[in-house]
Amino acid sequence: MSNFPRDAVRALPKAELHVHLEGTVDATTLLTLAERHGVKPPADDVAGIDQWYKFDDFPMFLERYFAVLGLLREPEDFAFVAERYMTTAHDQGVVHLEFYVSATGHILENQKKWAPIHDGIVEGCNRAAAATGMSWGLIPDISPHLGSEACIRAMDEVFAHDLSHVLAVGMGGPADNWWTQDFSPIYAKARSLGLAGVAHAGEHGGADEVRFALEQFGAERIQHGIGAMQDPAVVELLVNSGVACDVCPGSNLALKAVPDAASHPLPAMLDAGMTVTLGSDDPPMFQTNLLDEYERAWDWCELDLEGVSRLAQNSLDAALVV
Ligand code: ADE
Ligand code: ZN
């Protein structure tokens, strides 16, 4: 049994910097959305959906994640999901939250308009912020398997709408060939509009992905980044730049980015002096939540309260501010 001090960790003010809005759709919410839109759900009850949220590998996860995107249709769907998750996060001591939103997935795969999606999310976040006092921002992201040209077009639609709640552009789910295509113009345009750039890299891939995101996209935070540990030069880049890796240990286990807990490089990342924050990624899909992630770090890295406090402080320090 872990001696994890859950209540003390809950009491630490924290930011959650790596969570996908669509990945917060739990089984009950999924069933509600399916019924609302007259769509046959992938299973008939909560237990069935929870089972559907078990993945053999990353492609199987992405396929199901994209199916969930298809159930989010109306602005109120987005508002409901955003408000619900922010409230859940607040109960775990989160004071600032940054939502990744799979913008190109909605626009390109589901032929939706960005403006109502955005406005629905803003409505939900504002409702939760009014009730909790939390701060928040959005990170619309690129799904590189949809191709760079299409993503450039879709992100232009994002850039043309209200950017006052948008903190950065991101890149999720790097497919095998993401660096053979040129997504740099999207990051350059974001920067010209005063936005930051972040990217998933080194999740299933290696250190070269992380280097590419840092050097070609100017990434100001890396999501996961565990593959960086394969190359001491990339570790050094991260340590010297102070660029944080938003690590999600439960996600890495669920998607088999590492074979088991003992193989996870989180302890080595902390030992190397890298700046690490903890995130839950897609919590109900991985049967986790943010405090569970702190518990994993506690157990795997043999942390004390000072150690977990440092991770919480890292998250506040690495937050992007509107
Ligand atoms: N989008 C949602 N979850 C993701 C993950 N774990 N990796 C990459 N892209 C994602
Ligand atoms: Zn992620």
Side-chain angles (χ1 to χ4, degrees):
M1 264 297 276
S2 167
N3 60 349
F4 177 62
R6 186 165 283 255
D7 288 337
V9 175
R10 188 191 316 276
L12 295 171
K14 296 178 280 302
E16 182 160 26
L17 306 180
H18 186 170
V19 59
H20 300 262
L21 176 76
E22 302 85 345
T24 70
V25 172
D26 63 8
T28 307
T29 307
L30 188 152
L31 291 169
T32 303
L33 292 170
E35 190 175 348
R36 188 179 289 176
H37 299 305
V39 174
K40 186 172 164 36
D44 293 335
D45 55 18
V46 166
I49 302 296
D50 283 341
Q51 195 53 38
W52 189 70
Y53 278 163
K54 301 254 166 70
F55 313 104
D56 294 340
D57 53 25
F58 188 47
M60 182 176 176
F61 161 73
L62 283 180
E63 196 185 306
R64 294 184 177 184
Y65 176 84
F66 269 77
V68 172
L69 260 62
L71 292 173
L72 290 160
R73 299 186 178 178
E74 302 301 325
E76 182 50 33
D77 298 342
F78 288 92
F80 175 74
V81 169
E83 181 181 14
R84 194 167 188 278
Y85 187 71
M86 270 181 67
T87 307
T88 305
H90 177 71
D91 291 342
Q92 297 171 66
V94 174
V95 297
H96 173 83
L97 188 138
E98 301 183 2
F99 269 133
Y100 292 78
V101 185
S102 295
T104 62
H106 290 293
I107 296 168
L108 298 171
E109 284 269 280
N110 294 282
Q111 289 79 47
K112 292 176 222 167
K113 292 278 169 233
W114 173 249
I117 294 173
H118 167 278
D119 296 355
I121 297 170
V122 168
E123 166 68 25
C125 290
N126 277 336
R127 291 198 306 238
T132 63
M134 290 167 73
S135 58
W136 59 277
L138 305 181
I139 305 181
D141 78 4
I142 306 158
S143 298
H145 69 283
L146 300 175
S148 58
E149 275 182 32
C151 285
I152 288 170
R153 256 188 291 117
M155 291 308 280
D156 277 343
E157 189 179 326
V158 171
F159 293 140
H161 191 57
D162 178 14
L163 293 178
S164 57
H165 304 287
V166 174
L167 302 169
V169 291
M171 179 182 267
D176 293 342
N177 66 344
W178 63 282
W179 48 17
T180 65
Q181 303 180 50
D182 199 358
F183 295 93
S184 309
I186 299 174
Y187 283 91
K189 181 149 185 194
R191 202 145 285 123
S192 76
L193 293 166
L195 307 177
V198 300
H200 284 59
E203 178 186 11
H204 299 273
D208 289 351
E209 264 186 20
V210 177
R211 180 188 285 282
F212 192 92
L214 292 170
E215 293 181 348
Q216 303 300 317
F217 302 154
E220 285 154 71
R221 282 206 319 260
I222 297 289
Q223 284 67 62
H224 299 292
I226 58 176
M229 298 314 288
Q230 296 165 7
D231 183 347
V234 176
V235 172
E236 199 179 320
L237 267 181
L238 286 165
V239 171
N240 290 343
S241 63
V243 167
C245 290
D246 304 324
V247 180
C248 307
S251 161
N252 297 150
L253 285 180
L255 296 182
K256 304 182 174 60
V258 292
D260 51 37
S263 319
H264 198 286
L266 183 61
M269 294 171 88
L270 297 184
D271 284 348
M274 286 163 63
T275 304
V276 168
T277 85
L278 295 175
S280 61
D281 215 3
D282 307 283
M285 298 184 177
F286 303 145
Q287 300 80 47
T288 190
N289 63 38
L290 188 60
L291 291 179
D292 291 345
E293 300 303 328
Y294 274 81
E295 180 165 12
R296 289 192 177 92
W298 173 274
D299 288 343
W300 299 359
C301 306
E302 297 181 13
L303 297 179
D304 55 14
L305 201 51
E306 195 187 323
V308 280
S309 302
R310 196 167 318 116
L311 291 172
Q313 186 60 46
N314 286 350
S315 70
L316 298 172
D317 294 343
L320 299 165
V321 182
V322 195

